Amino acid sequence: MNDIVWHGDGPVLTSDLAGRTWRLPVDDPHPGLIWSDGRYRARILALDHVAAAGRREPSAFARPSLVSWARHGTRLEATFVPPAWPGLNVRAAWSPTADRAGFDLEVQVWITSTAVLRRLEIAVSSLWWRGTDNPTDRWAYQVEPRDAHAAALSYDGREPAELLQSLTTLPVPSTSPHRLAPRSWPVASPSPGSIYIEMVQPDDCARRLIGELQEAGADGTSWTGYALFGHDLEKGVVLRGRIRGCWIASAQPEEEAARRYDAFLNEPPPLGP
């Protein structure tokens, strides 16, 4: 199998995968995989912001924070040091799934200063929208928390008031970590009968946010956010999380999505630093 996945000399690279050509600008304020066919647009597995108790930094991944990027085999790695978070290092690695049906995103964080970041979250988001929709229009959000502590993070000062006014926190699960069913988008098909799904490791995700446009006729536009970690971060601690986005074609998509999710949960983490 051809191991050449990422093309270009950067900072914008491309990848032909899952029936589409994707762009990944590592110096974008929200680096992630971008695609458009004129009818639909997508930005998936994108770094969104950094948050901690009482703090939120939407520009954490803007160009000044990018300190390095490199290709290692099929992995495209980028390391960020957000200026407003002294000592914080965030490394993101995008790579194709083993069957080349989608992409994995691995996020790793550590801190080199003596500061302690309380309930640190690295936010990742995926957005699909129709070319006729404005993805900045008014949204309604539902939060799926990992546990009671994670549910409280929405209200500790990290989320802006306008989001809280349209946010509903779902009941805290009876068991932890709570398995989050794969999230699917039927509009994102590279071929008839296929759907796009995303899945995350339960321990890695403190909160999953589901956003839907409130305007009538907005079918096909949807947003999902993953607040990874939600743990205290101090020197000597390394946190690592994984999210997978992939396409499936099946006469029984729910059963196939569940099978893929079980396989994802049982995979060992990738080798490497």
Side-chain angles (χ1 to χ4, degrees), residues 60-82:
F61 301 107
R63 189 166 189 168
S65 71
L66 177 64
V67 296
S68 67
W69 70 270
R71 283 169 286 204
H72 298 288
T74 61
R75 288 165 59 93
L76 174 58
E77 296 181 358
T79 301
F80 303 86
V81 179

Side-chain angles (χ1 to χ4, degrees), residues 209-247:
L209 289 76
I210 306 297
E212 299 289 350
L213 279 176
Q214 294 181 320
E215 284 73 16
D219 294 340
T221 295
S222 187
W223 177 89
T224 301
Y226 304 88
L228 299 179
F229 312 126
H231 303 301
D232 294 347
L233 181 65
E234 59 186 47
K235 191 173 182 179
V237 174
V238 177
L239 301 176
R240 178 181 291 181
R242 288 188 293 158
I243 304 173
R244 172 168 296 170
C246 61
W247 284 261

Side-chain angles (χ1 to χ4, degrees), residues 31-224:
L33 294 149
I34 301 171
W35 165 87
S36 175
D37 68 354
R39 183 184 177 194
Y40 288 106
R41 302 177 186 180
R43 179 189 293 268
I44 64 172
L45 304 180
L47 300 178
D48 197 283
H49 65 270
V50 176
R55 298 183 62 187
R56 179 188 180 100
E57 182 57 53
S59 60
F61 301 107
R63 189 166 189 168
S65 71
L66 177 64
V67 296
S68 67
W69 70 270
R71 283 169 286 204
H72 298 288
T74 61
R75 288 165 59 93
L76 174 58
E77 296 181 358
T79 301
F80 303 86
V81 179
W85 302 74
L88 176 63
N89 289 257
V90 181
R91 188 180 70 191
W94 294 267
S95 59
T97 58
D99 59 4
R100 303 298 176 95
F103 293 97
D104 285 336
L105 169 62
E106 178 189 283
V107 178
Q108 184 171 311
V109 297
W110 67 96
I111 193 167
T112 57
S113 72
T114 57
V116 178
L117 297 179
R118 300 295 182 188
R119 300 292 187 178
L120 177 75
E121 290 181 331
I122 305 299
V124 174
S125 65
S126 290
L127 172 67
W128 290 92
W129 74 101
R130 297 184 307 181
T132 56
D133 289 336
N134 181 357
T136 62
D137 286 341
R138 187 162 180 81
W139 294 79
Y141 300 92
Q142 287 189 329
V143 179
E144 298 170 295
R146 178 175 58 206
D147 50 32
H149 292 294
L153 299 184
S154 298
Y155 309 99
D156 71 353
R158 72 186 62 211
E159 301 292 8
E162 57 270 22
L163 187 146
L164 294 178
Q165 291 165 8
S166 57
L167 180 148
T168 301
T169 298
L170 298 179
V172 173
S174 59
T175 59
S176 180
H178 178 54
R179 286 172 55 128
L180 296 168
R183 174 85 165 123
S184 65
W185 283 267
V187 301
S189 308
S191 60
S194 67
I195 62 172
Y196 174 74
I197 62 173
E198 284 184 350
M199 57 195 78
V200 62
Q201 293 279 343
D203 284 315
D204 298 345
C205 186
R207 300 178 297 142
R208 182 169 70 177
L209 289 76
I210 306 297
E212 299 289 350
L213 279 176
Q214 294 181 320
E215 284 73 16
D219 294 340
T221 295
S222 187
W223 177 89
T224 301

